[in-house]
């Protein structure tokens, strides 16, 4: 049996790197409202940890075609359950000190969880600095269609020098979540307004990322996983929409449909070469440290009227919403669908069926 835990505060927990750790209110609310999400990729009979089992059952009632028959378990009852299930495995949204501490307190055997050394390595690889040094320079050397630059700096003076050199820039905290920790500098007033914020990030996280502000055309990603033998395996293409860096929705369509869209911008043969190289790099650098789902966010950009691929905007060493969309198993005879997280009085997961071509219309400009 596998125990699944949705901990969407993971990236914030990595940034804080504290135990105990209290997530912001919005993150706690997201976890409480959408704790049932692992039922979308879990196997029959698996266990999903939630705040309220009855609320989880009500939520999945609207998603019956997509969810497995799982058992929803609260933290309160977990200790008693795990005592009688010593061979249980654990699958979380992302590994960090905070979730490991929570699981230990709930009675999960430490042998089923990452140790301190593993958690430290995972945190290092999860920083935006690591892929900017170890992945991006290699990936953009694939050909002239591939571009991308990013720098990690440790002082405000060094950061200001880059801001002055670049016409427009994006500032990013090394660890952040769903667009939080991202600021744009397009004019001098933006830099003046964000100086204090940048200094705070440097003080708290040891440094800050700066990148050129590209003319983005579309967002997309490549999703990977490790198989039972520890090999890195490509899972599929993720097409999604962001606004100011924040995730707003994913396309659910067949791999063939998604490849057809992306082929309007770049030949799929070039993407296959990119996938092969990424797999090799992950096998060499990540596989010994991390086993589980991971993804690389990318984008098509326009430079002087020419379309180019930025092959590594970010690496997510965790499950992503792209993986969730892939778990919904699009079929050839079904219309494209849209996976969205919305908020009114609470967070809700929506799978929108539509006869429209959402790839060509509502997601991309």
């Amino acid at each position: 049996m596998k125990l699944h835990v949705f901990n969407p505060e993971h990236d914030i927990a990595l940034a804080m790197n504290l135990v105990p750790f209290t997530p912001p209110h919005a993150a706690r609310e997201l976890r409480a409202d959408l704790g049932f999400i692992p039922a979308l990729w879990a196997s029959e009979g698996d266990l999903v940890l939630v705040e309220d089992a009855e609320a989880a059952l009500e939520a999945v009632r609207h998603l019956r075609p997509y969810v497995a028959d799982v058992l929803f378990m609260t933290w309160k009852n977990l200790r008693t359950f795990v005592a009688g299930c010593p061979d249980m495995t654990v699958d979380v949204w992302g590994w960090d000190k905070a979730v490991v501490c929570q699981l230990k307190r709930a009675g999960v055997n430490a042998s089923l969880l990452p140790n301190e050394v593993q958690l430290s390595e995972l945190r290092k690889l999860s920083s935006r600095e690591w892929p900017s040094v170890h992945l991006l320079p290699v990936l953009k050397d694939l050909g002239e269609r591939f571009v991308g630059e990013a720098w990690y700096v440790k002082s405000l003076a060094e950061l200001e020098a880059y801001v002055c050199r670049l016409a427009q820039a994006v500032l990013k905290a090394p660890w952040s979540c769903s667009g939080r920790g991202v600021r744009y500098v397009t004019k001098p007033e933006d830099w003046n307004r964000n100086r204090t914020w940048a200094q705070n990030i440097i003080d708290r996280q040891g440094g800050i990322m700066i990148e050129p502000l590209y003319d983005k055309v579309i967002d997309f990603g490549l999703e990977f996983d490790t198989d039972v033998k520890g090999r890195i395996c490509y899972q599929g293409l993720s097409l999604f929409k962001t606004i100011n860096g924040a995730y707003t929705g994913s396309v659910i369509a067949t791999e063939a449909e998604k490849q057809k869209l992306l082929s309007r911008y770049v030949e799929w043969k070039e993407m296959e070469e990119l996938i092969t190289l990424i797999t090799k790099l992950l096998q060499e650098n990540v596989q010994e440290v991390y086993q589980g789902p991971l993804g690389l966010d990318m984008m098509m950009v326009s430079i002087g009227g020419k379309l180019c691929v930025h092959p590594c905007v970010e690496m997510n060493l965790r499950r992503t919403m792209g993986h969730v969309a892939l778990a919904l198993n699009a079929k050839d005879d079904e219309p494209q669908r849209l996976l969205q997280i919305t908020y009114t009085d609470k967070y809700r997961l929506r799978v929108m069926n539509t006869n429209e071509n959402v790839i060509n219309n509502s997601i991309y400009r």
Side-chain angles (χ1 to χ4, degrees):
M1 178 177 290
K2 184 175 288 187
L3 170 68
H4 297 269
V5 183
F6 177 56
N7 57 317
E9 72 280 5
H10 164 68
D11 293 322
I12 305 173
L14 286 177
M16 299 299 292
N17 201 32
L18 296 172
V19 173
F21 163 67
T22 302
H25 174 75
R28 297 197 305 272
E29 194 174 11
L30 181 62
R31 183 171 180 168
D33 292 343
L34 300 184
F36 64 86
I37 274 186
L40 295 170
W41 62 83
S43 299
E44 299 289 321
D46 277 356
L47 192 67
V48 176
L49 199 56
V50 296
E51 302 289 332
D52 184 327
E54 290 187 8
L57 286 169
E58 175 61 22
V60 299
R61 185 174 64 84
H62 304 286
L63 298 166
R64 275 298 169 201
Y66 313 110
V67 299
D69 186 9
V70 299
L71 174 64
F72 292 115
M73 176 73 64
T74 63
W75 287 95
K76 180 180 179 181
N77 298 323
L78 182 61
R79 180 178 292 275
T80 302
F81 188 88
V82 298
C85 194
D87 58 345
M88 179 181 67
T89 58
V90 182
D91 182 281
V92 300
W93 186 259
W95 287 112
D96 54 68
K97 279 186 178 181
V99 74
V100 167
C101 180
Q102 287 179 315
L103 289 166
K104 284 181 179 178
R105 287 178 178 173
V108 176
N109 194 306
S111 65
L112 302 176
L113 308 172
N115 59 37
E116 287 291 331
V117 174
Q118 291 170 317
L119 288 171
S120 178
E121 284 297 304
L122 284 172
R123 184 174 186 267
K124 182 177 74 175
L125 267 63
S126 297
S127 167
R128 286 187 167 112
E129 178 190 9
W130 191 89
S132 75
V133 173
H134 297 89
L135 299 183
L136 180 56
V138 181
L139 298 178
K140 74 173 187 177
D141 280 348
L142 265 177
E144 61 178 16
R145 291 289 303 277
F146 296 90
V147 300
E149 291 182 294
W151 302 275
Y152 178 77
V153 300
K154 298 182 179 180
S155 72
L156 194 66
E158 189 180 3
L159 179 63
E160 187 164 19
Y162 275 106
V163 169
C164 293
R165 197 183 92 189
L166 299 170
Q168 296 182 318
V170 185
L171 312 181
K172 297 180 179 180
W175 295 274
S176 65
C177 181
S178 299
R180 299 177 182 90
V182 177
R183 300 292 176 93
Y184 296 87
V185 178
T186 62
K187 52 188 181 296
E189 306 92 271
D190 294 336
W191 171 239
N192 294 332
R193 185 169 57 251
N194 287 305
R195 287 173 63 94
T196 301
W197 173 84
Q199 184 64 67
N200 288 337
I201 293 296
I202 293 170
D203 292 342
R204 293 173 184 171
Q205 300 190 21
I208 193 168
M209 302 298 302
I210 181 167
E211 306 170 7
L213 177 59
Y214 294 97
D215 181 12
K216 181 173 65 176
V217 179
I218 63 170
D219 291 297
F220 69 101
L222 300 178
E223 309 297 349
F224 296 84
D225 205 341
T226 50
D227 66 13
V228 293
K229 295 183 179 180
R231 295 172 299 198
I232 303 292
C233 300
Y234 172 66
Q235 296 294 300
L237 185 61
S238 171
L239 301 179
F240 57 94
K241 177 74 172 178
T242 62
I243 297 177
N244 294 327
Y247 169 85
T248 58
S250 292
V251 171
I252 304 169
T254 64
E255 192 70 6
E257 286 180 294
K258 290 180 290 185
Q259 289 180 14
K260 183 178 179 181
L261 166 74
L262 204 59
S263 295
R264 290 161 45 188
Y265 305 95
V266 57
E267 289 187 18
W268 186 248
K269 181 180 178 181
E270 293 181 86
M271 293 304 302
E272 289 177 328
E273 293 174 358
L274 180 62
I275 291 167
T276 299
L277 181 54
I278 291 171
T279 302
K280 177 177 180 292
L281 292 172
L282 293 177
Q283 195 78 45
E284 293 172 350
N285 294 280
V286 174
Q287 186 264 335
E288 293 296 326
V289 178
Y290 174 78
Q291 288 78 47
L294 65 135
L296 268 69
D297 289 347
M298 306 179 179
M299 59 184 176
M300 296 296 309
V301 301
S302 177
I303 299 179
K306 178 181 177 181
L307 287 176
C308 299
V309 180
H310 189 313
C312 186
V313 176
E314 186 168 289
M315 180 176 76
N316 294 301
L317 211 60
R318 55 167 171 79
R319 194 175 298 276
T320 69
M321 290 304 295
H323 286 100
V324 180
L326 290 173
L328 299 183
N329 296 321
K331 299 176 182 176
D332 291 332
D333 58 349
E334 293 178 331
Q336 294 165 8
R337 290 167 289 164
L338 190 60
L339 175 69
Q340 287 187 316
I341 293 175
T342 61
Y343 182 83
T344 49
D345 57 321
K346 62 183 293 185
Y347 287 98
R348 290 181 171 85
L349 185 77
R350 302 173 63 203
V351 180
M352 300 169 56
N353 287 302
T354 175
N355 292 321
E356 297 179 3
N357 190 324
V358 295
I359 283 181
N360 294 323
N361 295 318
S362 62
I363 282 289
Y364 297 117
R365 66 184 186 184

